[in-house]
Amino acid sequence: MSIRIITVEREYGSGGAAIAQALAKRLGWKLYDRELTTEIARMANVDHRAAMRCDERVDNLLYRLFKVYARGSYERSLPVGERAFDTDCMVETMHKVVEDVASHGNSVIVGRGSAYFLRSREDAFHVFTYAPVDEKVRRLKMIGKSEKEALQLISEIDRERASFIRHYFNAEWPNRSLYNLMINTKFGDEYVVDMVVQHIAAIDKLEASLSAPQSATA
């Protein structure tokens, strides 16, 4: 298989994390979702709860101004473990962790800017999952959210993710030109997994045909 890494970016509530898990199981690959945040915390030598607070979020404006004006540039020059762990530190460490994961291959990575970090790798396949609002509400109600809470989370979390990508990668979210496949999850997780696997198989078939020796013609 020429594709060795799959990234799964997702609208909140579209089921991207569950689909990534099913995809990793189907392929026999390792899943990196919460495990990625845990590894970031370990590498930065901070409590995993600190990493979770920064996960795909931008520090609020007041805190960012405080860093700029009260702490100046000295803090930026310190190693990660010796300065306050914030989203800047998170992204700095995340880049290293995602690149390390990708170097081992056979990995499914959920969110956290992984598609942007790995956008130049030819062995990476980038997926974006989305769904109609009613489908996202249905999925969130299945895990115990009320309809009101689900609608609020859908709006807030996707807004945070868009701000995160805009701030750290200077790109709109989702950036359609980045993804190999953008897919509506309303047809079910198994359907989405099948489509991803079929797309990757098609890429393998195409690359095999291009690399095969051409027969001589009369």
Side-chain angles (χ1 to χ4, degrees), residues 153-168:
L153 288 169
I154 288 167
S155 175
E156 289 181 356
I157 293 178
D158 280 353
R159 188 165 59 247
E160 287 175 349
R161 288 173 177 171
S163 296
F164 175 84
I165 295 300
R166 190 178 303 114
H167 180 80
Y168 287 101

Side-chain angles (χ1 to χ4, degrees), residues 3-218:
I3 300 297
R4 300 172 60 248
I5 309 128
I6 299 172
T7 68
V8 180
E9 185 56 83
R10 68 278 185 235
E11 288 184 347
Y12 183 74
S14 67
I19 288 165
Q21 184 176 26
L23 186 59
K25 184 176 180 180
R26 172 84 67 90
L27 296 172
W29 289 7
K30 185 167 177 57
L31 174 70
Y32 289 90
D33 186 0
R34 293 181 181 178
E35 298 84 353
L36 204 62
T37 306
T38 300
E39 177 60 17
I40 289 165
R42 185 198 66 78
M43 195 170 184
N45 194 30
V46 298
D47 188 280
H48 76 281
R49 288 170 295 186
M52 288 180 68
R53 283 194 296 271
C54 299
D55 200 2
E56 296 184 287
R57 293 180 175 88
V58 178
D59 294 327
N60 65 59
L61 178 60
L62 183 63
Y63 180 62
R64 297 189 68 81
L65 289 173
F66 174 76
K67 287 198 301 179
V68 171
Y69 293 108
R71 299 190 179 185
S73 60
Y74 170 70
E75 185 190 41
R76 298 265 182 182
S77 68
L78 293 173
V80 169
E82 295 179 29
R83 65 180 190 250
F85 188 83
D86 56 17
T87 307
D88 288 350
C89 299
M90 175 82 168
V91 173
E92 178 184 324
T93 311
M94 190 187 303
H95 193 175
K96 297 174 184 176
V97 171
V98 168
E99 290 284 1
D100 182 63
V101 166
S103 71
H104 292 88
N106 294 359
S107 304
V108 179
I109 307 173
V110 179
R112 295 158 182 87
S114 54
Y116 294 86
F117 289 134
L118 304 177
R119 61 189 179 276
S120 298
R121 291 189 67 113
E122 295 184 358
D123 59 350
F125 187 88
H126 306 299
V127 178
F128 186 90
T129 66
Y130 63 92
V133 172
D134 58 347
E135 170 64 14
K136 292 189 279 190
V137 169
R138 184 191 70 80
R139 286 175 177 265
L140 291 171
K141 287 172 76 173
M142 287 177 63
I143 61 172
K145 307 296 183 185
S146 68
E147 183 168 347
K148 181 179 178 180
E149 185 180 11
L151 289 169
Q152 183 177 354
L153 288 169
I154 288 167
S155 175
E156 289 181 356
I157 293 178
D158 280 353
R159 188 165 59 247
E160 287 175 349
R161 288 173 177 171
S163 296
F164 175 84
I165 295 300
R166 190 178 303 114
H167 180 80
Y168 287 101
F169 301 99
N170 193 30
E172 291 303 307
W173 182 89
N175 182 358
R176 289 166 177 77
S177 64
L178 179 65
Y179 302 103
N180 300 95
L181 176 65
M182 300 183 76
I183 189 163
N184 191 332
T185 63
K186 71 178 182 179
F187 301 110
D189 295 3
E190 186 175 354
Y191 166 82
V192 176
V193 171
D194 286 344
M195 289 299 101
V196 174
V197 171
Q198 287 178 31
H199 274 71
I200 291 174
I203 290 173
D204 286 341
K205 183 177 179 180
L206 176 62
E207 292 186 351
S209 67
L210 292 174
S211 61
Q214 300 297 312
S215 57
T217 57

